[in-house]
Amino acid sequence: GAIYGTIVATAVVAGLGERHSVAPSRALWILLASGLFFWAAHVYATLLAARIQERRRTKRADVRGAASQDWPLFQATVPLAVPLLLGWLGILGDRTALAVATAVGVVTLVALGIGFARREGYGLAGIVAAASINAGVGLFIIGLKVALR
């Protein structure tokens, strides 16, 4: 969930960075709302799929379990929200806040790739491959942003 959430959050922020009229405060709320929406949609889809597959009613424990399991989708917005908050507070300029938030998304993807590879016991080549793949996804998002200018 964290990698998927980070990809979505990075794409949202990168897209907002192309709009000169988007203030960091508005970008922050759009980012958080998008994260909440994707989290809720994923929880709903998980519960619906389980209900259809298992042919039984959904219980509160199922909802709590799915909501908890998918929470990293929303949590992934937090690192990207920090530069936007700093922009809202006037510590960073508007464009800088959006650019830094996008960069934080890419760096977070790399860090998640490294963490995943290490947790799975991969050697150096596997760690570099996982980090590179995640970096490639983040850079692809930035490339789309540049191409669509």
Side-chain angles (χ1 to χ4, degrees):
I3 290 175
Y4 177 55
T6 303
I7 291 168
V8 169
T10 304
V12 166
V13 171
L16 290 171
E18 284 307 300
R19 298 190 50 118
H20 297 290
S21 62
V22 177
S25 58
R26 182 167 167 81
L28 175 64
W29 291 115
I30 290 171
L31 171 66
L32 295 176
S34 297
L36 264 174
F37 171 79
F38 275 95
W39 168 73
H42 206 270
V43 169
Y44 174 72
T46 298
L47 292 170
L48 186 59
R51 183 175 179 165
I52 291 169
Q53 199 171 40
E54 297 170 15
R55 295 192 170 117
R56 65 175 178 83
R57 297 192 105 157
T58 302
K59 299 176 184 163
R60 283 187 200 177
D62 298 328
V63 175
R64 281 193 303 270
S68 175
Q69 181 180 351
D70 293 335
W71 189 239
L73 281 169
F74 176 75
Q75 286 176 319
T77 64
V78 173
L80 285 79
V82 172
L84 298 177
L85 179 61
L86 294 175
W88 186 6
L89 296 172
I91 296 169
L92 294 176
D94 291 2
R95 307 266 311 148
T96 302
L98 287 162
V100 170
T102 302
V104 166
V106 175
V107 169
T108 301
L109 285 171
V110 171
L112 289 169
I114 292 169
F116 167 79
R118 291 186 61 159
R119 188 175 55 247
E120 293 297 310
Y122 293 165
L124 181 60
I127 292 170
V128 170
S132 298
I133 290 168
N134 280 10
V137 170
L139 294 174
F140 178 73
I141 292 168
I142 293 172
L144 283 176
K145 172 186 168 178
V146 170
L148 296 174
R149 262 190 198 170

